[in-house]
Structures are given as structure tokens and as C-alpha cells.
Amino acid sequence: FTSFLHLPGTSEEVAPPVQQCFMVPKKEINVVSDMAKWKRSQAYADYMGFILTLNEGVRGKKLTCEYKVSEPIEKLVALLNTLDRWIDETPPVDQPSRFGNKAFRTWYAKLDQEAEKLVSAVIPKHLADAAPEVAVYLKESVGNSTRIDYGTGHEAAFAAFLCCLCKIGVLRVDDQMAIVFKVFNRYLEVMRKLQKTYRMEPAGSQGVWGLDDFQFLPFIWGSSQLIDHPSLEPRHFVDEKVVNENHKDFMFLECILFITEMKTGPFAEHSNQLWNISAVPSWSKVNQGLIRMYKAECLEKFPVIQHFKFGSLLPIQPVTS
């Protein structure tokens, strides 16, 4: 669980192994039966450990609370700001079809070209060899340029990107809150802008039966933020007034706000799963349920995981410990 984030309370930093051989990550899950390999892999254990470590790290905390912001965090925000600026510089083109604006391909080509350079600016010189490996996850995290779609597999690639930065020691255990509140939250803003600007299709959407067309993790971490809140209960998030007054403090409500901006009609109809979740009595129950649902609906679904890439930092090899 804390294999890559050194244990809090120990003064020694865990130095990354000196002879680390980095490699460009590649696909390993090619047929449905390969899913068993994924579930036993070190990558799965580390990825899930990372998600759960952050889930604990933000528990009961507001987006607006005070937390440490290290230099690597600042650099990651700057990287995301660059991606945001490129959207402004690449306006959508006139085209007959409403969805999947082709300008996204132009925007993506720029990222494809610059990703390694962007990542190199975040990591220290002595880890320069890691840039090509880590950059792959960044490129995978913004959507598919052929289909012009975006979904939870792309979101998972961004979490994997951050996980890799933890594994090489760029991000530390005391960066936890900033990883979610500053970096991941900025990532969400940029993804929402991409989704809106280029009218991206949801990737592998389950329509009204999915939790959300595009994201999943902010619902997990966002529900953790709300655990033991003195007044906000799950039933309140379908109340427009509550959302408008509190969305700046809580990721979960920020997600709800975005859905209501993008969709028309009764909430219970366009977001049935979330509507059902609003009936759950406590945020800790919501949080536990969402973690189970994430494993079942995202991490254990072949159409999502077949695109995941494995390298030296997130290896396909079975768990050793």
C-alpha cells in the first residue's frame, strides 16, 4: 500500500533504485483472458494503492484548505496550464458533424510532439531517462485522437502518470493533498475544456447506466472529502442550491455542476446512477461503494484496460511482495 510512497513518520526518503532501467510502456492486455494477468500485476497493486492512499489523504478536507505545495506540484500545474493555452490557440473548425471536432487532432499532435519535453521540465536532471516512459502516460491521458473521445481509461492514464512520478520520487507522501486538489483538479478543468471545446464523445460510455460520461476518480476522492461533513449528506448533492454554494470546496459537487451544465432534463433521467447514490445514507458508504464500482466497471473491464500500457514503473509482472 505504501510501497512507493514512503511511510509517513520515517525520516529517510526512499531513494529510487540507482540502476533503474526505464522503458517505453507498451500494451500487454490483448485478449480478454489477459485480464487475469492485469489483476495479479504489480501495476494493478501499485495503481490501486495509489488511488486508495490519496483517498485517505483527502478525507474530510476541502479543496480550499491549506496544504503544502512543492516545486514539482507547481511545475505540474504549469504543464497543465500549457495544455490549456494550446486549446485557446487551436479553435474548433467548421465541420458538418456536431461531435468530435477535428481540431482536437491538431491539439493532440502538439502534445504528442512536446510531451517528453514537458515531462522533462517536471523531473530532476538525474532522472532524465525516465521522461520517455512517464510521458507515455501523459499522452494517453487526454483522449483518443483518432476517435476524438475521452473516458475513464484516459483518466486512469493520468493517475498512472502521477503514480509514476511518485515511484521515481518526484512526488512525495506530503504532496498527497496537492496531488488531488491542485494537480488532479487542474487536470479535470483542462479535460472539461477539451470535452466542451472539441465536443468529444464519451469513450466506452454505458449511457445512462454509467456513473458519468467522462470521469470517475473525482467522485471517489470527492466523496472522501465529504466524509463526516457536519451538514452535507449524499441526498443534498441533487439540490441545485447546495451545489452552487459548495462546489468550490468539494470535487464531487464540481462534477455534479459540470453534468448539469452539459445535460438537459431531469437529473434522475440523465444521471440515474448518481441519482441512486444520492439515496445512500452516508458519505463513507458512498465512498466504499464507488471504490468497488470503480474496480468492477473500469479496472476490470477489458475495453477500458486493453489500452493500458506497462513499463518498468508499472510492470505487468505479478506482485512480488
Side-chain angles (χ1 to χ4, degrees):
F1 193 72
T2 38
S3 60
F4 49 87
L5 291 172
H6 69 279
L7 293 164
T10 54
S11 55
E12 302 131 276
E13 293 292 340
V14 174
V18 190
Q19 286 319 106
Q20 173 86 36
C21 282
F22 296 106
M23 62 177 274
V24 175
K26 57 185 203 299
K27 273 179 60 132
E28 299 277 1
I29 309 298
N30 300 307
V31 288
V32 176
S33 57
D34 288 339
M35 289 296 284
K37 259 199 310 195
W38 153 244
K39 284 186 250 181
R40 283 197 302 268
S41 71
Q42 190 65 50
Y44 183 91
D46 286 351
Y47 179 85
M48 219 38 233
F50 182 66
I51 300 302
L52 295 172
T53 299
L54 295 175
N55 190 56
E56 282 308 303
V58 300
R59 188 182 173 130
K61 307 277 200 310
K62 292 181 174 182
L63 284 168
T64 48
C65 75
E66 298 228 333
Y67 49 83
K68 175 187 163 248
V69 178
S70 63
E71 197 185 345
I73 294 285
E74 295 284 16
K75 288 177 172 174
L76 282 166
V77 173
L79 182 160
L80 291 164
N81 291 344
T82 300
L83 302 189
D84 192 338
R85 193 183 74 244
W86 291 348
I87 302 175
D88 297 332
E89 292 166 5
T90 319
V93 294
D94 278 335
Q95 60 176 47
S97 69
R98 219 170 109 229
F99 284 97
N101 194 282
K102 290 180 179 62
F104 174 71
R105 291 181 183 148
T106 310
W107 179 90
Y108 183 85
K110 197 166 174 67
L111 172 62
D112 195 35
Q113 206 183 336
E114 302 284 330
E116 268 183 52
K117 203 156 75 184
L118 290 172
V119 171
S120 296
V122 175
I123 61 183
K125 290 278 178 286
H126 71 277
L127 289 168
D129 290 354
E133 175 162 351
V134 178
V136 167
Y137 295 103
L138 178 65
K139 287 191 284 196
E140 296 277 317
S141 74
V142 296
N144 181 287
S145 66
T146 310
R147 296 187 302 272
I148 315 182
D149 66 5
Y150 175 94
T152 50
H154 302 109
E155 178 190 69
F158 191 75
F161 167 68
L162 297 173
C163 181
C164 287
L165 291 174
C166 283
K167 292 197 81 168
I168 60 174
V170 172
L171 297 173
R172 303 278 166 88
V173 77
D174 53 359
D175 288 317
Q176 279 182 62
M177 285 169 68
I179 288 171
V180 179
F181 292 170
K182 223 170 168 58
V183 180
F184 195 82
N185 205 45
R186 185 72 186 104
Y187 164 75
L188 283 176
E189 289 168 1
V190 178
M191 291 310 104
R192 286 173 183 142
K193 188 166 167 176
L194 278 180
Q195 289 151 19
K196 263 187 185 161
T197 307
Y198 304 123
R199 304 205 54 125
M200 297 176 78
E201 300 265 15
S205 168
Q206 296 158 314
V208 293
W209 305 115
L211 183 67
D212 176 73
D213 280 345
F214 299 111
Q215 313 297 155
F216 204 114
L217 292 173
F219 292 96
I220 295 180
W221 296 330
S223 59
S224 182
Q225 282 185 277
L226 285 154
I227 290 173
D228 297 331
H229 191 284
S231 58
L232 291 178
E233 293 170 30
R235 64 192 170 92
H236 291 121
F237 77 73
V238 290
D239 178 338
E240 207 178 322
K241 186 169 175 286
V242 172
V243 172
N244 289 332
E245 284 171 8
N246 297 282
H247 70 94
K248 285 189 167 61
D249 284 326
F250 301 104
M251 246 176 188
F252 196 102
L253 302 181
E254 201 68 85
C255 290
I256 301 295
L257 187 70
F258 184 67
I259 291 171
T260 52
E261 278 173 12
M262 298 293 278
K263 299 200 166 186
T264 51
F267 191 88
E269 283 174 28
H270 63 61
S271 302
N272 192 260
Q273 281 281 22
L274 281 166
W275 179 260
N276 294 338
I277 286 169
S278 71
V280 174
S282 73
W283 285 110
S284 64
K285 284 263 189 300
V286 169
N287 185 245
Q288 289 159 5
L290 286 173
I291 290 166
R292 280 197 306 274
M293 185 177 171
Y294 184 59
K295 288 178 180 168
E297 297 302 318
C298 301
L299 301 185
E300 292 173 11
K301 286 281 189 277
F302 176 72
V304 176
I305 294 304
Q306 64 173 330
H307 304 293
F308 198 88
K309 294 188 173 160
F310 300 84
S312 74
L313 296 168
L314 290 170
I316 189 70
Q317 280 72 32
V319 174
T320 43
S321 52

